Amino acid sequence: MTRTILTMLVSLLILAMAVPVIAWERPTRGERQQYRQERHDARKEFRQERRGDHQDLRRERADDRREFRDERREDRQEWRQERRELRGDFRDADSLQEKRAVRQEFRDERRDARQDRQEERQEFRQDRRQDRQDYSRDRRQDRQEFRTERREDRRDLLD
């Protein structure tokens, strides 16, 4: 009987020591609420940053388009001026040979201008494609970092 009582007392002592340890390991209600609030704030901040990044990207793209159009407008004005000069040279040409030379120069200029425009368009498209890919990669990386941070926070809460 003494042995039974002694065994019960020892088990009660072990239980009394284990209960605070078990309760201590679990996060309290306040800690869980604080964790949820921090995560909510972090998600909100992440969305705001993402929205701001997207708006910045849209502004940059609009600025790029505007610059591209302005450059093309300037190029067209230069081409018109060259065309006027070539027409004047054609009118001022005295012989048939000079007229042919001016005509050939005009064709060469027109072909070069067309090729330049085509190359500029291709470069512009490639730059925009690269910008989109960079933006997508950055967003993917940000999302991954956010998830990793969230996992670490959850692990810290439970540990």
Side-chain angles (χ1 to χ4, degrees):
M1 180 146 160
T2 322
R3 192 176 239 188
T4 311
I5 293 175
L6 186 62
T7 308
M8 284 187 60
L9 285 175
V10 169
S11 48
L12 281 173
L13 180 65
I14 291 173
L15 184 63
M17 289 173 37
V19 168
V21 170
I22 293 170
W24 181 69
E25 286 180 2
R26 293 186 60 204
T28 63
R29 173 181 276 172
E31 289 173 338
R32 282 194 303 264
Q33 285 177 341
Q34 181 183 1
Y35 169 76
R36 287 186 193 122
Q37 186 61 44
E38 287 173 358
R39 293 316 309 157
H40 175 74
D41 294 343
R43 281 193 303 270
K44 185 176 178 181
E45 183 181 331
F46 179 75
R47 284 188 209 109
Q48 287 175 343
E49 288 177 8
R50 192 172 62 189
R51 189 176 303 123
D53 290 347
H54 188 67
Q55 288 173 348
D56 292 344
L57 177 73
R58 289 179 61 193
R59 282 190 205 103
E60 287 177 15
R61 291 180 71 177
D63 292 342
D64 290 346
R65 281 192 305 267
R66 194 174 305 111
E67 288 174 14
F68 181 72
R69 287 182 195 137
D70 291 344
E71 289 174 8
R72 295 221 18 218
R73 187 177 304 116
E74 291 170 7
D75 290 345
R76 279 194 306 267
Q77 289 172 354
E78 290 175 10
W79 167 242
R80 285 184 192 126
Q81 183 61 34
E82 286 181 31
R83 225 172 38 195
R84 283 187 207 110
E85 291 171 4
L86 288 171
R87 282 183 189 148
D89 292 346
F90 186 76
R91 274 188 239 115
D92 295 341
D94 295 331
S95 69
L96 189 61
Q97 212 172 22
E98 287 179 14
K99 287 187 178 191
R100 283 184 188 145
V102 170
R103 235 186 261 134
Q104 186 61 40
E105 183 182 351
F106 180 77
R107 289 182 190 127
D108 293 343
E109 289 289 331
R110 190 172 56 193
R111 184 183 61 243
D112 292 342
R114 194 178 319 122
Q115 287 175 348
D116 289 344
R117 283 195 313 268
Q118 184 178 7
E119 289 171 3
E120 287 172 1
R121 281 194 306 264
Q122 286 176 349
E123 289 173 8
F124 183 68
R125 283 190 207 116
Q126 288 173 350
D127 289 345
R128 293 199 48 184
R129 186 179 308 117
Q130 186 64 39
D131 289 346
R132 277 194 312 267
Q133 289 173 350
D134 292 345
Y135 178 71
S136 296
R137 185 177 50 251
D138 291 344
R139 282 190 61 185
R140 197 171 27 254
Q141 187 176 3
D142 289 345
R143 282 193 306 266
Q144 185 62 36
E145 289 172 3
F146 184 76
R147 287 185 193 121
T148 304
E149 180 183 320
R150 187 173 176 190
R151 266 188 236 115
E152 290 171 358
D153 288 348
R154 187 178 300 135
R155 197 174 304 125
D156 291 343
L157 177 71
L158 296 175
D159 286 347

